[in-house]
Amino acid sequence: MPDQDGRALDLRSLLAAVEVAAPVAAVDVFAAELGKQVGAEEVAFLISDFNGSALVRFSQHPAGGGRHRSRGGDAAETVPLAGTPYECVLRAQRLQVCPAEEGARVVAPVTARGDVIGVLEMLLPAEPDADTVDYIAAAAHALGYVVIVNRLFTDLFEWGQRSQPFSLAAEIQRRLLPTSLTCEAGQFTVAGAVEPAGNVGGDTFDYILDRDTLHVSLTDAMGHEEDAALLATLLVGSLRNSRRSGATLAEQAARANSTLLLHARADQFVTGQLLRVDLTAGTAAMVNAGHPRPLRMRDGRVDDIELAADPPFGIVPELGYRVQAVTLLPGDRLVFVTDGVLERNAATADIIGLIAATGDLHPREVVQEITGAVLRAVDGKLRDDATALCLDWYGGGEQDRQVGASGNQPSGSPPQADS
């Protein structure tokens, strides 16, 4: 496909050039080839940092203002996100063309299934035509997958995302989190965030999608730093191992409990919640191991989900954890938090009010708003991790189809207690 100046716009040749490049050079090659195809004077990729509050611009020769870090021949400049055109592009998830002194500046979101990877920015000598804009948007989407694949083989992207140093505990914690902190998957969207990003280490969240099941967990290991991170490693490792072996939700909880009793100190424990959503039936079940109740927003109203609490993992030998039904209706939003979000010093954050006020935001932005509000409430001095996970349920299971067939739609009445 040619552009307005007759240049060939070919995504296959763009990806072919990347395929033969070294992983550490993949984005540079992508940018150079794309720049040739669209006649750009400048092309840059800015990666999102871990807490989503800034972008990081890669270069080999740092220049200008901003905060720069360097490692070997690479430099990274941290660019605050708030109030910038980048923020508008990422919030709207839509490419933006802006007039420049000479030509036009194009900024496109680089995402994969709702997970913000960064933005693609380029300076063109003239305003692009519609075909070129569409091609740049498609190229930016492809760049997301280029980053996902090539980050498996190099630390460049991981290093770039660390706009603040990581402690050893945070390094361990990072390995326990999902590779992508957000996932859009048709029937649902799930997103999580952990603060502070650079230290502590006791909180984790996890999700994984099978053919007909969504598995979600949120856990909080007691203590701080390496002790908490290692305890969390035991717990998350056990949950993943039993889940991958096909264990039921009750079996996963029982094995996690036994693992801590066998390998952790007698004074150590982990609180947590395990959620399993049957995507075919549109139903959900949960285990609550001594953790703060999750919240559900339905028809604009936010309430606790009234789950009975069993003891935390690692306290009572041979405990049979209760699997409790949780109702899901299309349009429901579930929010899970750790006690760092609810601690006394963070109480002014008004999490329930915040959830109600952010009903129109993407789950990715909701969890960032929650953790950001907690940080502001404690003047940036958290005594414990603050973690939030948001699950939006759009429906599509057998239960939802039956509701639609009967003509009964979800009402705005308060949710009933889940038993």
Side-chain angles (χ1 to χ4, degrees), residues 3 7 18-19 30 43 49 65 71 100 114 123 151 177 213 241 254 277 307 314 361 369 383:
D3 71 352
R7 287 181 289 260
V18 172
E19 186 67 23
F30 185 99
V43 181
D49 75 349
R71 189 192 69 158
L123 182 63
R151 73 184 306 155
L177 299 176
T213 308
N241 181 256
V277 181
L307 294 173
L361 295 185
E369 289 285 341
R383 294 187 295 183

Side-chain angles (χ1 to χ4, degrees), residues 17-18 20-32 60 146 150 154 156-157:
V18 172
V20 297
V24 72
V27 169
D28 293 336
V29 170
F30 185 99
Q60 295 184 349
V146 169
N150 286 279
T154 174
L156 175 64
F157 304 108

Side-chain angles (χ1 to χ4, degrees), residues 242-263:
S242 58
R243 184 190 72 215
R244 289 164 181 165
S245 70
T248 67
L249 201 59
E251 290 169 341
Q252 291 176 36
R255 293 181 192 177
N257 187 50
S258 297
T259 296
L260 295 193
L261 287 165
L262 183 62
H263 298 289

Side-chain angles (χ1 to χ4, degrees), residues 303-333:
D303 292 287
D304 288 349
I305 297 178
E306 295 189 7
L307 294 173
D310 286 324
F313 300 115
I315 293 181
V316 181
E318 300 182 6
L319 177 65
Y321 284 87
R322 287 172 285 184
V323 176
Q324 304 174 68
V326 176
T327 59
L328 285 179
L329 294 178
D332 280 357
R333 167 168 287 177

Side-chain angles (χ1 to χ4, degrees), residues 259-283:
T259 296
L260 295 193
L261 287 165
L262 183 62
H263 298 289
R265 296 196 316 261
D267 63 337
Q268 292 182 309
F269 61 87
V270 179
T271 68
Q273 288 161 347
L274 314 181
L275 173 70
R276 187 167 184 165
V277 181
D278 186 324
L279 301 175
T280 301
T283 58

